[in-house]
Amino acid sequence: MLKGLKEQYRQDAVYRALLQKEYEITSQLQHPMVVSAFSLEEVEGLGLCIVMEWVDGVTLKEWLAQGKHTKKQRRHVADMLLHALAYVHSRQTQHRDLKPSNIMLTHDGQHLKLIDFGLSDTESHAILKAPAGTEGYMAPDGPSDIYSLGCILRELHLGRLSCLVVGKCCSPLRRRYTDIPTIQRDLHRCWLWPRWLLLIAGIVMALASLYILNLSHTQDKLQTVNDSLKVFKDENNAMIHSGKEKTDSLQLQINQITDQRESEHATIQRRQDYINEAKRKIDKQMQAYGIQHMMDTVSCQRNITIPFLRITDELIGDTKDPELKEYIQEHYRKPWLRRMSELPFD
């Protein structure tokens, strides 16, 4: 599939830059539930285009409009969406335009693809930092994937207990969820509660039946049921503990990536500060020689070229940093030679 610009925007530098940004972000996301971008090419008659994966299916909006989907199917779709969005956020990327029309489903509803990263953003890109999104799915306080996710989960009608999770997704910023794994955990707990209640109700009914039918074996039966309850409790605790470990591991990875990026930014800033300070020292040293004055007033005294070239050569030789060497060449040596070559004498 090709994604390009409308004809009136094909030569616009800003829109081409935005298309380039979308390709760079999408191509870095490699996940079964995220659409793949293969290349960015100039296509005859269409201009600059992203060559993308073709998804054979319908949008979530169209899928919901079909109706007649079971709660199990809708929960499966929600679970796939949560996994896709968790991956995108783990890559330090915000979709910023999450809505049913930007989510594709295969015709059987078993596979999901998150598409259209045209308004998405990462820390590594400097363009398009303004608010973005679609009315009805955009938070009042600005772009928020979690707020948009809550709106989509509401349309999926996942059950009464799930409304608690949806409400927190769409809450004001200070009470809103801050990460996808927590939403996944709470949703799964909401989905499992009815099963636990049914299981407990079944156990109670079984106990009552056993007590009525055979009083003599009540104690033995109760012990058996208690053992079953203990096993069920242990399995439930193990499942909750496993989910917490996965959440903690994912949070640790996110923190490590964040710390690494902050360290890289600090290193770049220190390097820039060092270069700027070194350039100021070079300029101060050159000013002490009166170089600029000599360049402005030089007439027939070409013999001062040799001392000046010696000064710049020595300064270049004493400087180890390639960027500073280039600075001396471009700001002093080359302008001097160009000035001397313009003099009308040999």
Side-chain angles (χ1 to χ4, degrees):
M1 182 179 72
L2 299 178
K3 180 176 181 178
L5 299 171
K6 292 182 179 180
E7 186 174 358
Q8 62 267 35
Y9 303 116
R10 289 175 187 170
Q11 302 306 319
D12 190 299
V14 174
Y15 286 98
R16 289 175 66 89
L18 293 177
L19 192 65
Q20 173 76 28
K21 173 185 176 182
E22 178 179 357
Y23 167 70
E24 291 175 357
I25 292 175
T26 309
S27 62
Q28 292 174 4
L29 300 176
Q30 304 294 326
H31 190 273
M33 297 179 190
V34 178
V35 67
S36 298
F38 304 120
S39 62
L40 185 66
E41 302 177 6
E42 287 285 349
V43 179
E44 184 178 356
L46 297 177
L48 189 64
C49 293
I50 303 176
V51 182
M52 308 182 72
E53 172 187 9
W54 167 258
V55 182
D56 185 17
V58 296
T59 65
L60 178 59
K61 181 178 180 180
E62 295 169 333
W63 188 80
L64 289 172
Q66 295 172 1
K68 300 181 180 179
H69 301 301
T70 65
K71 185 181 293 184
K72 182 178 180 180
Q73 290 174 317
R74 296 195 299 273
R75 287 180 174 179
H76 178 61
V77 170
D79 203 34
M80 290 190 293
L81 177 57
L82 287 166
H83 277 89
L85 198 57
Y87 168 77
V88 171
H89 284 194
S90 72
R91 300 290 294 176
Q92 306 303 305
T93 301
Q94 293 288 324
H95 190 281
R96 287 165 49 98
D97 193 21
L98 202 61
K99 56 186 177 180
S101 58
N102 282 341
I103 301 167
M104 294 290 295
L105 289 172
T106 53
H107 293 290
D108 59 2
Q110 295 301 307
H111 301 283
L112 176 144
K113 288 281 185 178
L114 194 57
I115 65 170
D116 196 353
F117 287 80
L119 296 180
S120 60
D121 202 4
T122 65
E123 294 179 1
S124 59
H125 288 83
I127 62 174
L128 194 59
K129 296 296 184 181
T134 299
E135 185 178 356
Y137 298 92
M138 183 173 67
D141 45 61
S144 169
D145 284 352
I146 291 180
Y147 182 93
S148 302
L149 174 65
C151 296
I152 295 171
L153 295 178
R154 181 185 292 120
E155 294 182 24
L156 285 171
H157 300 294
L158 303 174
R160 292 185 179 180
L161 290 177
S162 301
C163 292
L164 300 175
V165 178
V166 171
K168 191 172 180 180
C169 287
C170 299
S171 295
L173 185 60
R174 60 185 177 85
R175 294 193 291 110
R176 191 180 304 158
Y177 283 109
T178 58
D179 60 271
I180 302 300
T182 304
I183 300 175
Q184 290 176 302
R185 181 200 65 197
D186 290 353
L187 264 183
H188 288 166
R189 286 179 177 177
C190 290
W191 297 345
L192 288 175
W193 262 111
R195 298 181 185 178
W196 296 343
L197 293 176
L198 286 174
L199 179 60
I200 294 172
I203 292 173
V204 171
M205 291 179 65
L207 289 174
S209 299
L210 289 172
Y211 182 77
I212 294 172
L213 293 175
N214 194 348
L215 293 176
S216 62
H217 295 89
T218 298
Q219 294 298 326
D220 293 338
K221 295 297 183 181
L222 284 174
Q223 185 61 44
T224 301
V225 173
N226 285 334
D227 292 340
S228 299
L229 284 172
K230 185 178 183 302
V231 172
F232 171 75
K233 181 180 179 180
D234 292 342
E235 291 178 350
N236 180 47
N237 290 336
M239 180 180 65
I240 294 175
H241 181 69
S242 175
K244 185 179 184 301
E245 287 182 343
K246 292 179 180 178
T247 301
D248 293 343
S249 175
L250 179 60
Q251 186 62 47
L252 178 60
Q253 294 177 19
I254 293 174
N255 292 340
Q256 290 174 344
I257 293 173
T258 302
D259 292 343
Q260 181 181 357
R261 294 186 66 85
E262 290 177 352
S263 176
E264 291 173 354
H265 290 165
T267 300
I268 293 171
Q269 185 59 47
R270 288 194 297 270
R271 166 69 179 171
Q272 188 61 45
D273 292 344
Y274 163 74
I275 291 297
N276 291 339
E277 180 62 25
K279 287 180 179 180
R280 284 193 292 270
K281 290 181 179 179
I282 291 171
D283 293 340
K284 186 176 180 180
Q285 184 175 353
M286 285 302 186
Q287 289 173 4
Y289 291 133
I291 298 305
Q292 187 61 44
H293 177 70
M294 286 190 290
M295 289 183 65
D296 295 338
T297 61
V298 66
S299 57
C300 60
Q301 299 176 8
R302 182 179 289 273
N303 59 329
I304 66 175
T305 301
I306 301 303
F308 176 68
L309 294 180
R310 187 179 299 112
I311 290 171
T312 56
D313 288 342
E314 290 176 357
L315 191 56
I316 290 173
D318 294 338
T319 303
K320 296 180 179 180
D321 194 292
E323 187 173 344
L324 295 177
K325 289 177 182 287
E326 181 67 17
Y327 178 78
I328 297 169
Q329 285 276 6
E330 295 296 329
H331 285 76
Y332 293 101
R333 184 181 178 86
K334 289 183 179 180
W336 178 268
L337 293 175
R338 187 163 51 251
R339 176 70 178 93
M340 294 304 299
S341 67
E342 296 172 353
L343 293 177
F345 53 80
D346 297 328

